[in-house]
Amino acid sequence: MKVYHVSSYADMCRKAANIISAQILLHPNSNLGLATGSTPIGIYERLVEAYDLGDLDFSGVTTFNLDEYCGLSENDPQSYHYYMNEHLFSKVNIDRANAHVPKGNTGDADLECKRYETLITAGGGIDLQLLGIGNNGHIGFNEPSTVFEKDTHCVSLDEGTILANARFFDNPSDVPRQAITMGIGTIMQAKKILLVANGKTEILNKSLYGPITPNIPASILQLHPDLTVIWSDK
Ligand code: GLP
């Protein structure tokens, strides 16, 4: 595990974007695993900047997002589809057919989970997975549990997660109670993992240096052979 402790959010974003850029430059046909939340926003801004400068080409890149809320349409401004379009997909030359986000409103979540897991496997797996971390140590939407769920699955969100994500909604009662998320196995199979955290010192320390337990899902990352962590405490 490589841990970079940086001095600001801006530094964190630049370093993370540099790592993702290097992946794309060295392997233009990379499969990237992408994350949402407030933390990666500055990373996507740096990537868009690099694209605008002509330094990055997304035409060969395929992306798989970690998760999506259940019940929201792709055009709903609170959906992760919308977020990804806003922050990245509409701003670079990625082939939209290769920019994948689980669909939260198909009416058959279990089938969608299977479809998504198969899509990732058939695509050759993820080369570099970007991750944020929730206040309770969740990654994607893998909430604390008694087991590590392996594959893409449907989850009920914790009260704390609903509260934390309520800031993105007009009304806290609008936050969906369920989501589709890549499983812990799906994430751990990525060849490289890049975990970014802005603050969240206590949960990050527990995750990286405490016991490995499904009660802190991110703790499993200690077992990943190629984990880079970029952490800003300011
Ligand atoms: C959501 C996402 C996670 C993300 C987490 C933290 O729950 N599903 O992938 O890591 O939020 O978000 P933030 O970066 O806004 O703190």
Side-chain angles (χ1 to χ4, degrees):
M1 160 169 54
K2 247 181 256 127
V3 181
Y4 292 107
H5 179 192
V6 298
S7 55
S8 67
Y9 175 72
D11 282 1
M12 187 201 83
C13 292
R14 236 181 20 257
K15 215 176 254 314
N18 284 342
I19 290 172
I20 298 169
S21 299
Q23 174 72 36
I24 298 172
L25 287 167
L26 291 170
H27 306 283
N29 297 317
S30 286
N31 288 344
L32 300 179
L34 298 179
T36 52
S38 51
T39 312
I41 289 177
I43 301 172
Y44 296 137
E45 281 171 5
R46 297 290 81 72
L47 290 175
V48 170
E49 251 168 42
Y51 169 74
D52 286 341
L53 286 169
D55 289 339
L56 277 187
D57 176 8
F58 285 80
S59 62
V61 170
T62 297
T63 62
F64 296 96
N65 262 79
L66 281 165
D67 46 16
E68 178 60 285
Y69 288 114
C70 287
L72 299 189
S73 82
E74 299 183 8
N75 299 324
D76 188 311
Q78 313 301 345
S79 73
Y80 287 164
H81 275 86
Y82 192 93
Y83 169 113
M84 288 309 302
N85 284 334
E86 277 289 292
H87 294 292
L88 188 68
F89 299 154
S90 66
K91 297 184 169 163
V92 298
N93 66 335
I94 192 164
D95 180 344
R96 295 295 270 270
N98 297 333
H100 306 289
V101 182
K103 296 185 203 306
N105 62 342
T106 59
D108 188 340
D110 288 340
L111 189 64
E112 172 59 9
C113 291
K114 287 198 185 78
R115 181 195 73 85
Y116 200 67
E117 188 69 31
T118 307
L119 194 66
I120 296 171
T121 314
I126 291 166
D127 297 306
L128 173 64
Q129 175 68 55
L130 175 64
L131 288 181
I133 184 168
N135 295 319
N136 57 6
H138 74 223
I139 47 177
F141 266 134
N142 290 276
E143 299 282 33
S145 170
T146 51
V147 289
F148 289 113
E149 283 267 4
K150 188 171 168 282
D151 293 340
T152 300
H153 61 290
C154 202
V155 285
S156 293
L157 301 180
D158 277 10
E159 263 322 298
T161 301
I162 292 168
L163 276 178
N165 290 351
R167 68 189 194 279
F168 300 112
F169 291 77
D170 292 339
N171 190 331
S173 65
D174 292 344
V175 186
R177 270 33 190 178
Q178 293 200 304
I180 290 177
T181 180
M182 282 186 198
I184 293 292
T186 329
I187 294 170
M188 286 296 281
Q189 275 161 30
K191 296 185 186 77
K192 296 186 180 110
I193 294 185
L194 175 58
L195 173 67
V196 290
N198 188 27
K200 302 194 180 157
T201 309
E202 203 185 325
I203 191 63
L204 192 68
N205 274 324
K206 280 188 189 162
S207 302
L208 299 183
Y209 306 113
I212 297 170
T213 162
N215 201 32
I216 301 182
S219 64
I220 193 85
L221 298 174
Q222 293 179 41
L223 299 179
H224 195 277
D226 193 343
L227 169 68
T228 302
V229 182
I230 310 179
W231 165 57
S232 159
D233 56 354
K234 295 195 190 67

